[in-house]
Amino acid sequence: MNLITADHISKAFTDKVLLDDVSLGLNEGDKTGIIGINGTGKSTLLKIMAGLEAPDSGTVTKGNSVRIAYLPQNPAFDPEKTILSCVADGKTAKIEGWDVYGEARSMLARFGINDPDAKAGTLSGGERKRAALVATLLDDADVYVLDEPTNHLDTGMSEWLENYLKGMKQALLLITHDRYFLDSVTNIIVELTHGKLYSYTGGYMNYLELKAEREEMEQATERKLDAIYKKDLAWMMRGARARSTKQKAHIERFNALKDRDKIVTDDKVQVDSIASRLGNQTIELDGISKSYGGKTLFTDFSYIFLKDDRIGIIGKNGCGKSTLLKTIIGQITPDTGSVTIGQTVKIGYFSQESEELDNEQTVIESAKDIAEYVRTNEGLIPVSRMLERFLFSGSMQYAKIGKLSGGEKRRLSLLHVLVAAPNILILDEPTNDLDITTLSILEDYLDSFNGIVITVSHDRYFLDRIAKRIFSFEEGNITIYEGNYSDYLAKAGEEKTGKFSVATGKDGMPLSSGKSESSGSSKDTWKSGKKLKMSYKEQKEYETIDADIEKLQTRLSEIEVEMTANATDAGRLAELTKEQEDLQAKLDEKEERWLYLTDLAERIEKEKQ
């Protein structure tokens, strides 16, 4: 049964087209994940599907009795009402005898909110998001529309939500950056790019494979069309004459190719900056402790950071992870112990809330406050060029920061950190609000970063990808585990039945395709080893095929002239017609062969580069 249908909808803000004549349906049993680069319109699409925002054109229809529950990206509550009232008031019992307020208290506690009678105005940003998630889940709805539900959840909360959503019968439409969560929960992935929607059946790992296949096919088609266009252009320049139906069709094909919409590929963030030199003395933690209100966060913790450390910090919300980071950078003084920082240490701190940004500044003004020029592998470049690499084009550079989406602000904050050329990166929940494409590029950058990386994260994929050592907060103590997050689970003995399993390679990193190393496709084998090359016969054919095609085209043009001159000679006309048909068949065959050889030659040349 169809629940919601968006038909040929479009939406634009000023000159930026977010949705361009797209359609999307949600049926019973669908659990659909929306992905795309920040600022492309994912949240806008969710609001339109939920009926909270109208498209510029097109229609959105839903069944008369279909009820929708919506979780916004940045929820708001009446600060004077109690948390319990904000969450549970107005909810109807899902089953007879169901205690809505009792369930609300229980679920709030599950998400780390233990005083539901406190005023909503006392909630932090993360607590407010979790309370709003509880309010949404309490709704008796047919469709749950969730915008970044995994933000501000610790690992245990995220796993509970994952199992809850997998087990429910209602339809689901959500945005999340959590790749393991997407792969486990969803059965459809919809990608939003350049105003268009592409739908893929299956979870995130399946999407990666299907998208790669689609892009490869599109690129192969584009190469062929471009090759045909170049050949037709040369033919037109020799003086094509539209004297026959086939010649007219040829000219029409040329014009269609010239005016075609070319494949548009996603712009990608280019993270490229050089770290400052890091000396022998880094950061030393000597017996540090910290407590708040009688609660011990960590006690007598000592550690000397090594030059190539990749530290992942985990633990429940409120256990003290961010406090540890702020103690390291000197924003918080430890109750006991000391923090010693080497003279060459230059810390880049990526905070959880991007609070360093001034909403009244323009993007370019905020970047120039950090540096006018940025040192990269190419040398010094203006900060405006670095902004372009972070997908802030010319017009966006002069937009007020307050007009940016949450994800765009996070991307700008990341740029602020990197342009300062730190040699120690301290990242507090870096995966919050960053799109998956940017996360993947950040992960690649951190692989080659010449310095120390310390990150707090609840994103299991990110920790598996980045961390080589885990600091785990455990009841007031910090325990150190070697390896990534999956290694930590195994060593801590906390692997749970039905938990998402991580396929890893020989280096312990997760395989991007989700397959074991021994099950790689023949395409993977071809990419990794055997080089492309032409056979001797193909090479000789490639060298002469242009001349062969030109001879056939010349003879066909001559036949056109002869057919006009012999229009009254039925016998000769029949001979010429037969010859024309035979030559045209040969020409079609040669052109197909030319396309194959040209494409092969281009791929060989590209492989050499």
Side-chain angles (χ1 to χ4, degrees), residues 264-325:
V264 181
T265 56
D266 286 332
D267 292 327
K268 292 184 178 179
V269 176
Q270 299 177 54
V271 182
D272 179 20
S273 61
I274 294 177
S276 303
R277 186 187 71 83
L278 181 61
N280 291 327
Q281 188 178 18
T282 59
I283 298 176
E284 181 177 351
L285 310 179
D286 185 14
I288 62 171
S289 302
K290 192 66 185 178
S291 299
Y292 280 114
K295 180 183 178 181
T296 300
L297 301 180
F298 49 86
T299 183
D300 195 27
F301 181 65
S302 299
Y303 187 81
I304 300 174
F305 289 93
L306 306 177
K307 279 189 174 182
D308 61 348
D309 259 346
R310 296 292 187 269
I311 306 296
I313 302 175
I314 63 172
K316 295 180 179 180
N317 284 332
C319 67
K321 302 184 299 298
S322 294
T323 300
L324 175 63
L325 296 188

Side-chain angles (χ1 to χ4, degrees), residues 79 148 606:
E148 295 284 11
K606 188 175 181 180

Side-chain angles (χ1 to χ4, degrees), residues 249-263:
H250 201 158
I251 293 172
E252 288 172 1
R253 182 181 77 176
F254 168 78
N255 289 327
L257 286 170
K258 181 178 68 174
D259 298 332
R260 77 189 188 277
D261 291 331
K262 291 193 175 182
I263 294 169

Side-chain angles (χ1 to χ4, degrees), residues 267-491:
D267 292 327
K268 292 184 178 179
V269 176
Q270 299 177 54
V271 182
D272 179 20
S273 61
I274 294 177
S276 303
R277 186 187 71 83
L278 181 61
N280 291 327
Q281 188 178 18
T282 59
I283 298 176
E284 181 177 351
L285 310 179
D286 185 14
I288 62 171
S289 302
K290 192 66 185 178
S291 299
Y292 280 114
K295 180 183 178 181
T296 300
L297 301 180
F298 49 86
T299 183
D300 195 27
F301 181 65
S302 299
Y303 187 81
I304 300 174
F305 289 93
L306 306 177
K307 279 189 174 182
D308 61 348
D309 259 346
R310 296 292 187 269
I311 306 296
I313 302 175
I314 63 172
K316 295 180 179 180
N317 284 332
C319 67
K321 302 184 299 298
S322 294
T323 300
L324 175 63
L325 296 188
K326 291 176 181 178
T327 302
I328 292 172
I329 65 176
Q331 284 189 9
I332 292 177
T333 303
D335 297 337
T336 62
S338 62
V339 178
T340 304
I341 297 179
Q343 290 186 345
T344 60
V345 166
K346 190 171 184 181
I347 294 174
Y349 176 53
F350 187 43
S351 66
Q352 197 171 140
E353 300 294 340
S354 303
E355 62 265 12
E356 76 281 359
L357 297 179
D358 181 352
N359 285 333
E360 295 304 312
Q361 276 192 309
T362 64
V363 171
I364 186 74
E365 286 171 348
S366 74
K368 284 185 175 180
D369 281 349
I370 307 299
E372 291 277 349
Y373 291 88
V374 183
R375 187 170 298 282
T376 71
N377 293 324
E378 301 172 9
L380 281 177
I381 64 170
V383 74
S384 60
R385 274 186 59 194
M386 195 68 173
L387 281 168
E388 289 174 356
R389 294 182 177 188
F390 273 66
L391 308 187
F392 293 103
S393 60
S395 59
M396 284 190 70
Q397 291 184 17
Y398 295 92
K400 290 285 183 73
I401 291 173
K403 298 291 185 182
L404 300 180
S405 70
E408 287 168 332
K409 286 181 180 179
R410 290 290 279 167
R411 199 191 310 144
L412 181 59
S413 292
L414 179 61
L415 179 140
H416 278 204
V417 171
L418 297 182
V419 297
N423 47 36
I424 296 182
L425 281 174
I426 297 182
L427 313 174
D428 194 354
E429 293 288 4
T431 62
N432 280 358
D433 293 319
L434 283 183
D435 60 77
I436 290 173
T437 301
T438 303
L439 279 176
S440 298
I441 293 164
L442 174 60
E443 289 160 356
D444 290 340
Y445 172 77
L446 295 178
D447 283 342
S448 58
F449 177 71
N450 189 25
I452 296 168
V453 178
I454 306 167
T455 181
V456 168
S457 182
H458 299 303
D459 188 316
R460 295 160 292 175
Y461 188 102
F462 185 79
L463 288 172
D464 271 336
R465 182 72 173 72
I466 293 303
K468 294 181 180 177
R469 186 169 292 127
I470 296 291
F471 289 2
S472 174
F473 276 70
E474 299 173 359
E475 299 179 357
N477 292 306
I478 300 174
T479 304
I480 300 175
Y481 296 85
E482 294 301 312
N484 61 18
Y485 181 75
S486 291
D487 295 327
Y488 150 78
L489 283 178
K491 291 170 185 174

Side-chain angles (χ1 to χ4, degrees), residues 104 141 144 163 222 256 263 335 354 360 370 456 497 532 534 539 571:
Y144 290 88
N163 291 325
E222 183 62 34
I263 294 169
D335 297 337
S354 303
E360 295 304 312
I370 307 299
V456 168
T497 304
L532 285 175
M534 286 187 182
Q539 184 63 44

